[in-house]
Amino acid sequence: MPPSTDLLQGTLDLLILQTLALGQMHGWGVAQRIQQVSKDVLQIGQGSLYPALHRLEYKGWIQADWGNSENNRRAKFYSLTATGRRQLDAELETWERLSSAIGLVLSRVPEASA
Amino acid sequence: MIDEWLTRMRFLFSRRKPADLDDELQFHLERSTAANIAAGMAPDEARRRALIDFGGVERAREQSFEQRPGWWLGTVAQDVRYALRGFRRNPVFTVTVIATLALGIGATTAVFSVVDRILFRSLPYAHDDRLVSFGLVQSLERQEFTLGGFLFEWRDSQKPFESVTYEGGTTECNLTEASPVHLQCAQVAQNFLPTLGVVPIMGRNFLSEEDRPNGPKVVLISDGLWQSRYNRDPGVLSTTIQIDDHAVRIVGVLPRDFEMPRLQQTDILRPAAVDVAAQQKVNSGIGQPLWAFARLKPGVSVREAKAEMEPLFLHTQQWIPPQIRKDFHLQVRSLRDRQMQEAYTVAWVLLGAVLAVLLIACANVASLFSARGAARERELAVRSALGASRGRLIRQTLTEAFLLAVAGAALGCALAEILLRVFIAIAPTGVPFLSTAQLDLRIVLFAVLVSLLCAALFGILPALEKPRAAALVGRLPASGAHARLRRVLVAAQIAICMVLLSGASLLVKSFWNLEQQNLGMQTRDVLTVHVPLNREHYPTGYLNFYLRAEAAFGRLPGVTAVGMSDSVPPDADSWHDGTRYSELMVVGRQPTPSGVGGTVVSRIVTPGYFQALRIPIVEGAGFTQEERKSNGRFMILSKELAARLFPQGAAIGQHIEHAQFQPNFVPGPIYTVVGVAGNVKNAGLAGQDDPELYELGTDTPDTWGRHHVFLLATSLPASIVAPWVRAQVAQLDPTAPVEIETLSQTVSKLADRPRFETALLGFFALCGLAMAVIGLYGVIAFVAAQRTQEIGVRMALGATRLDILRLIAGQGVRLIVLGGVVGLGAALVLARLLKSLLYNVGPHDPAIYAAVALLLALVALAATLIPARAAMKVEPVEALRYE
């Protein structure tokens, strides 16, 4: 089994938004995509993907349309709305700030204890 | 933000098929399976793997579903339905809680609405907190007043006030036009309305030139008169009307909520037109009585104002005759204090009582909820085990509390409305503003909130604890913490109840004393007839009318005696009749040192007065008709006064000079004492009686004024005699208004206020008692039911039924004793607050406390014994099977 990391609470929304920014996709696709891109490090619980998708849809950040999949099966496709795009930008910015701050703290700790 | 909200609203109203969600999840699993097959797994294994990777499908479905906006609302509806089902299953709990809440909310709201007007209402003047009333007080008049002789000097040299104004009192006046009406006219200074911050709703205030002697005759009329007489016709301005046969012009209309600072009923304001220069001459040089009001400068307190006025007062004091100088004091107090007087005490007592009732109600609701919570521990545990979250359980309880509070509040409001009407109906006229009290929405809200808080707080306590797995088994007694809480609540209820009951009993005893006391005269079958004659029609005095009326009344069938007097006992308003003891000087004896001896009530009466009121003459004789027609001056003393003036007896035949210090020593007429009469109540029903003297009213024109009263003793009912009396007066003067009242009515009116206080406090005490008893019964019954199984075991092991009774009742008795003792202590402390309301009974009357404690103990014991007896009768076999 590849090593997996628990997802930070709230990060899942960001990942979904970022994935959907590439284009329309159904739920299974989103899950696969996140796993592939993160080189199997991030294994999102597939079960928790759907409540998140629905929550984002109800918030109006993504929208869902029924269409046909590659093998002609009826499937629900999600895509980013304009609000969602704005939200993604805002969250990315927050994430940058947060991760660089954490990075700073973590890189300083060994120095302090040394 | 708005976009997001709109999206949510759209989803809220568009229903989605749950099948879509299933479809979506199904699709995911198919793709996963296909991917696994592609990776080389067998189809069965591939599907199994896909399901494992996905995690709980059902859980994902539920969680997705819960994301839906409005899902929450759906669960609230569920909670409500569940709660209603629960209430239906347990009607006793439901009805008790709702009734308790309704009573608590209703009583609190009604009383608060009344008290609010008295304690917290703002006066209808601009910045009313800066208005004060000031003047002199003395033993004959405890409400501050001023005199023209010094008020203007004070006004011109004072520093603490922004402006000083005055009114010259209210007099009767008649609108003498077609269909004449009897009105009240107040005389006020030109700056009266501006100082109070009152602006006429139409027209203007008086001008300075109108507030001078012989100035233009103008008036302001009240909104009530404008409505009733002129139908709100704007053309009323500048019209001329006839007041007491003088033409006056209306220049303005007062606001609807206008009231005189001393709260006299007023229909018309006239300029006082005080001749300032003449004040040193009129009324034997002291000036006319005026009532002064002032607006404090910003930042000046009432206390500071009083200190600043003190030098002016000291200066004026020099001018009061030394004999009575010490009797006068300066008084400066806020207008509100002057208006409310003793209503403050009543208001606070009522407020305290009603808060106590609310407390009991809350404790009751809390213990009911707590008991129910304990009984439902198992149910909660089951629901929790089936997956209900803690939040959901708490919300469920809150929903129940909220539903009950809403129902209780609705009933409570209806009850409050009824109670308020009852209060207004039984209230004495003396309680200011009561008749205008209405339900206040803020207060309703407050009461509802308090009860909701009680219910919620105690309702969620059981839900807050994580249901114990053991509770599922249901073989354990309820958790100890809640049981202790309920017992504390019951003890507290009993304590509060004790306070309420003892307060109410003190008032009842006091009222009983008041009603049963010996007035010293007969009030049954006595009519008082007052004929306020029109002054203009009697330029030479009223004597002729009084004599002819007296004779005419005497000829009426059923009238056994006719007396006349300038006032009627036991009226407390003794200012006009007041005399100082030191003003009575026995001829041939050293005068009593001034300022000692207090006050004496004096009345001018005819010989028939004593017969009409059946006041016994205990020594000497009553007045005779011969004495009345003679030129002599005769006096009858009350027993008390005779004993003080002539401790050795032998009052008859002595001569007494009735001197006056107004403002200098004025030698008075000398009277011959002809008799001593029994003591009669003369300072109101509850007041400390003063000694009394009767002067014979002789047949001279200046003896009889238009406010004098006829007293008719009758052998026929008042309803028969009254029309005859009216007919007799109409024959003498068709325009004269006649006011007839029975003396018992007059006396009963004096008892209105204590009756009101007693009725209200009694009502609250009974409410409190009822609720506390319900609470006690509930808790004991609950405990007994919970311990049924234990009782069965005990009996199986050989406990007798008496042991069981002792076991269950013992718990109740401990609560009663604890609550009772605490309550008794609190009651003894708090009773002192009632002192000023009590008559002839001390605040710590031992009999009252003993009776109350006994009553409470008996009722509470009964509430304990009923469930305890039920527990005693339990069949051991059944009890053992009980679950």
Side-chain angles (χ1 to χ4, degrees):
Chain A
M1 280 296 272
S4 74
T5 311
D6 280 343
L7 279 176
L8 275 173
Q9 187 103 36
T11 327
L12 183 56
D13 286 6
L14 180 59
L15 290 177
I16 292 173
L17 290 176
Q18 175 70 17
T19 310
L20 286 178
L22 302 170
Q24 208 181 40
M25 218 174 276
H26 43 62
W28 189 75
V30 172
Q32 292 303 92
R33 175 92 201 163
I34 293 175
Q35 215 159 320
Q36 276 168 18
V37 172
S38 72
K39 305 194 180 76
D40 281 352
V41 176
L42 296 176
Q43 262 207 329
I44 59 169
Q46 297 174 18
S48 58
L49 178 66
Y50 284 90
L53 279 170
H54 281 245
R55 183 169 63 246
L56 293 177
E57 186 189 353
Y58 289 129
K59 278 184 173 174
W61 294 355
I62 60 178
Q63 62 179 18
D65 300 290
W66 286 92
N68 284 332
S69 71
E70 308 86 81
N71 49 4
N72 257 345
R73 166 80 161 78
R74 207 171 84 95
K76 199 174 175 188
F77 286 90
Y78 294 95
S79 57
L80 216 55
T81 62
T83 330
R85 198 166 290 281
R86 274 201 302 278
Q87 189 65 27
L88 175 61
D89 290 345
E91 291 207 1
L92 279 175
E93 199 181 311
T94 317
W95 177 260
E96 294 292 338
R97 269 214 315 275
L98 188 67
S99 57
S100 64
I102 292 175
L104 273 175
V105 172
L106 294 181
S107 62
R108 197 172 292 169
V109 169
E111 285 170 30
S113 59
Chain B
M1 235 7 230
I2 297 202
D3 278 356
E4 199 177 315
W5 190 74
L6 281 176
T7 317
R8 275 165 188 258
M9 288 311 283
R10 204 176 66 235
F11 282 117
L12 179 57
F13 290 111
S14 68
R15 286 237 160 253
R16 301 183 123 193
K17 287 173 284 181
D20 280 355
L21 182 59
D22 290 344
D23 218 13
E24 194 181 0
L25 298 178
Q26 198 54 47
F27 172 76
H28 185 110
L29 289 175
E30 279 170 22
R31 287 300 300 263
S32 261
T33 315
N36 286 345
I37 291 174
M41 292 188 197
D44 278 359
E45 176 61 14
R47 177 155 180 83
R48 204 180 69 87
R49 195 66 237 167
L51 280 171
I52 291 171
D53 280 348
F54 191 87
V57 178
E58 200 51 43
R59 192 169 150 79
R61 192 211 312 277
E62 271 185 18
Q63 283 184 345
S64 301
F65 190 70
E66 285 171 15
Q67 298 305 319
R68 192 184 153 72
W71 172 81
W72 186 80
L73 273 180
T75 64
V76 168
Q78 240 175 33
D79 281 348
V80 169
R81 275 195 303 275
Y82 185 82
L84 289 180
R85 264 205 314 276
F87 295 156
R88 236 192 336 262
R89 253 201 334 265
N90 200 344
V92 178
F93 166 80
T94 314
V95 169
T96 320
V97 170
I98 291 182
T100 309
L101 281 177
L103 211 57
I105 293 175
T108 317
T109 311
V111 168
F112 226 97
S113 302
V114 171
V115 168
D116 176 61
R117 297 282 295 163
I118 299 174
L119 291 182
F120 313 116
R121 141 199 125 102
S122 63
L123 309 181
Y125 312 118
H127 303 288
D128 58 293
D129 50 320
R130 279 167 48 209
L131 289 175
V132 297
S133 154
F134 68 93
L136 304 180
V137 287
Q138 54 147 328
S139 55
L140 291 180
E141 171 59 351
R142 295 179 203 285
Q143 306 298 323
E144 58 275 18
F145 66 97
T146 62
L147 294 165
F150 63 84
L151 174 62
F152 296 98
E153 186 195 325
W154 285 23
R155 182 187 69 181
D156 297 336
S157 16
Q158 59 80 20
K159 285 192 244 11
F161 304 127
E162 208 168 82
S163 73
V164 170
T165 190
Y166 54 88
E167 50 128 335
T170 310
T171 53
E172 293 176 23
C173 56
N174 293 310
L175 194 59
T176 44
E177 298 176 333
S179 69
V181 237
H182 193 67
L183 299 174
Q184 299 291 334
C185 290
Q187 277 65 240
V188 304
Q190 188 272 331
N191 69 347
F192 181 71
L193 294 180
T195 302
L196 296 180
V198 173
V199 182
I201 46 169
M202 205 172 73
R204 58 168 174 85
N205 183 26
F206 303 125
L207 306 174
S208 312
E209 59 261 35
E210 288 161 348
D211 187 23
R212 282 191 197 128
N214 305 317
K217 293 246 182 300
V218 292
V219 293
L220 285 158
I221 62 172
S222 73
D223 184 80
L225 185 64
W226 188 37
Q227 159 85 50
S228 63
R229 182 83 184 182
Y230 305 104
N231 212 7
R232 301 197 166 273
D233 174 14
V236 77
L237 282 187
S238 296
T239 57
T240 300
I241 57 171
Q242 296 286 321
I243 302 260
D244 288 334
D245 296 325
H246 289 295
V248 299
R249 196 157 55 86
I250 298 177
V251 295
V253 179
L254 293 165
R256 184 193 293 261
D257 62 357
F258 174 78
E259 59 200 23
M260 293 295 284
R262 290 189 298 144
L263 302 177
Q264 315 103 298
Q265 145 87 37
T266 303
D267 305 297
I268 283 183
L269 287 193
R270 290 197 284 218
V274 172
D275 186 350
V276 176
Q279 288 303 310
Q280 306 299 334
K281 294 182 210 91
V282 299
N283 198 9
S284 9
I286 59 171
Q288 69 188 84
L290 297 168
W291 288 266
F293 307 96
R295 183 170 283 281
L296 291 168
K297 282 182 185 157
V300 178
S301 72
V302 175
R303 191 189 294 268
E304 288 160 1
K306 185 171 182 198
E308 287 189 51
M309 293 299 285
E310 203 69 42
L312 290 171
F313 167 67
L314 290 177
H315 181 246
T316 300
Q317 212 182 21
Q318 300 312 309
W319 170 90
I320 300 171
Q323 293 92 333
I324 55 172
R325 192 175 288 161
K326 281 220 160 54
D327 193 24
F328 285 80
H329 304 279
L330 174 68
Q331 170 114 295
V332 180
R333 56 177 168 169
S334 76
L335 191 52
R336 178 184 293 270
D337 282 353
R338 162 144 200 164
Q339 287 193 349
M340 296 318 167
Q341 311 253 354
E342 63 276 45
Y344 269 136
T345 322
V346 181
W348 282 118
V349 166
L350 280 184
L351 197 62
V354 83
L355 285 182
V357 170
L358 192 63
L359 268 179
I360 294 183
C362 276
N364 230 1
V365 171
S367 68
L368 280 165
F369 259 89
S370 159
R372 181 172 151 93
R376 284 170 70 185
E377 206 172 9
R378 191 170 168 202
E379 179 201 325
L380 291 183
V382 170
R383 291 187 69 194
S384 177
L386 287 179
S389 68
R390 187 88 64 81
R392 189 71 201 277
L393 290 182
I394 291 174
R395 211 167 65 213
Q396 168 67 47
T397 321
L398 283 182
T399 308
E400 288 175 6
F402 182 74
L403 283 178
L404 289 175
V406 166
L411 268 178
C413 287
L415 184 68
E417 185 65 45
I418 297 170
L419 282 178
L420 195 59
R421 297 231 173 110
V422 173
F423 292 169
I424 292 172
I426 63 170
T429 43
V431 178
F433 312 112
L434 188 63
S435 53
T436 57
Q438 338 179 312
L439 280 196
D440 193 319
L441 223 76
R442 291 171 300 150
I443 298 163
V444 175
L445 220 64
F446 166 79
V448 171
L449 227 85
V450 168
S451 11
L452 192 62
L453 268 178
C454 290
L457 189 65
F458 294 101
I460 60 175
L461 272 184
L464 276 180
E465 271 174 39
K466 195 167 171 56
R468 299 167 300 165
L472 279 173
V473 185
R475 293 221 179 256
L476 286 171
S479 59
H482 299 147
R484 198 170 321 122
L485 173 72
R486 277 194 301 281
R487 274 188 244 122
V488 169
L489 284 173
V490 167
Q493 279 180 317
I494 290 182
I496 298 172
C497 203
M498 180 80 201
V499 175
L500 267 180
L501 273 179
S502 50
S505 310
L506 283 173
L507 280 187
V508 168
K509 181 84 198 317
S510 154
F511 182 65
W512 174 260
N513 289 344
L514 212 54
E515 290 276 87
Q516 298 302 314
Q517 68 182 324
N518 182 8
L519 295 176
M521 61 175 183
Q522 182 65 260
T523 59
R524 282 190 54 222
D525 302 325
V526 177
L527 289 184
T528 60
V529 181
H530 177 211
V531 188
L533 294 167
N534 190 334
R535 195 180 293 119
E536 309 293 321
H537 298 172
Y538 295 85
T540 57
Y542 309 101
L543 176 67
N544 191 34
F545 173 85
Y546 275 99
L547 290 181
R548 287 170 63 190
E550 186 188 14
F553 295 156
R555 283 192 298 272
L556 285 176
V559 173
T560 52
V562 180
M564 289 197 282
S565 170
D566 57 347
S567 58
V568 183
D571 194 354
D573 179 17
S574 59
W575 188 38
H576 300 288
D577 319 310
T579 299
R580 287 190 179 73
Y581 180 75
S582 49
E583 288 170 352
L584 299 175
M585 305 198 285
V586 179
V587 174
R589 221 203 267 177
Q590 279 294 321
T592 324
S594 301
V596 293
T599 56
V600 174
V601 174
S602 73
R603 281 184 226 282
I604 298 171
V605 302
T606 61
Y609 177 86
F610 297 95
Q611 279 112 54
L613 294 181
R614 275 154 277 185
I615 299 170
I617 302 292
V618 292
E619 213 179 307
F623 296 130
T624 63
Q625 295 298 339
E626 291 71 44
E627 285 164 349
R628 183 177 173 186
K629 291 195 179 62
S630 76
N631 268 337
R633 295 179 186 277
F634 301 96
M635 196 182 256
I636 289 179
L637 309 176
S638 77
K639 219 160 130 181
E640 190 183 345
L641 184 58
R644 277 179 62 181
L645 282 172
F646 308 103
Q648 272 88 45
I652 310 298
Q654 297 275 6
H655 298 281
I656 293 177
E657 177 177 353
H658 189 171
Q660 279 186 318
F661 299 108
Q662 296 259 326
N664 299 305
F665 177 78
V666 180
I670 294 174
Y671 292 84
T672 309
V673 177
V674 297
V676 175
N679 291 328
V680 173
K681 235 25 223 174
N682 59 16
L685 285 179
Q688 186 66 48
D689 282 346
D690 276 332
E692 181 158 353
L693 66 84
Y694 304 91
E695 293 173 3
L696 176 61
T698 51
D699 293 347
T700 47
D702 54 347
T703 307
W704 300 106
R706 52 200 285 272
H707 294 294
H708 288 190
V709 181
F710 296 95
L711 293 156
L712 275 54
T714 63
S715 55
L716 290 174
S719 54
I720 298 177
V721 180
W724 296 345
V725 170
R726 285 181 199 282
Q728 294 297 329
V729 174
Q731 273 187 16
L732 294 172
D733 182 348
T735 67
V738 187
E739 291 156 17
I740 302 179
E741 207 172 49
T742 65
L743 189 55
S744 352
Q745 276 169 352
T746 318
V747 172
S748 155
K749 265 192 216 156
L750 290 175
D752 273 352
R753 182 189 285 261
R755 185 179 300 123
F756 180 62
E757 295 154 5
T758 310
L760 283 196
L761 206 57
F763 168 73
F764 289 132
L766 288 183
C767 280
L769 181 65
M771 284 197 274
V773 164
I774 292 172
L776 184 68
Y777 173 84
V779 167
I780 300 296
F782 178 75
V783 168
Q786 287 242 313
R787 294 173 77 173
T788 307
Q789 209 183 11
E790 179 199 329
I791 292 169
V793 173
R794 280 172 187 265
M795 287 174 93
L797 291 178
T800 63
R801 290 183 188 274
L802 203 64
D803 290 334
I804 301 301
L805 184 70
R806 207 175 292 140
L807 177 75
I808 300 294
Q811 207 164 22
V813 171
R814 272 201 298 281
L815 294 183
I816 297 167
V817 170
L818 178 68
V821 169
V822 172
L824 194 64
L828 285 171
V829 173
L830 290 172
R832 271 182 307 185
L833 301 179
L834 285 176
K835 205 168 171 189
S836 67
L837 300 178
L838 297 180
Y839 175 70
N840 267 6
V841 51
H844 297 154
D845 191 78
I848 295 280
Y849 287 93
V852 167
L854 194 69
L855 171 77
L856 195 60
L858 282 180
V859 176
L861 262 183
T864 310
L865 281 179
I866 296 170
R869 260 173 62 90
M872 181 181 87
K873 292 207 173 125
V874 165
E875 283 304 320
V877 182
E878 268 174 44
L880 282 171
R881 287 202 195 118
Y882 176 85
E883 203 166 284

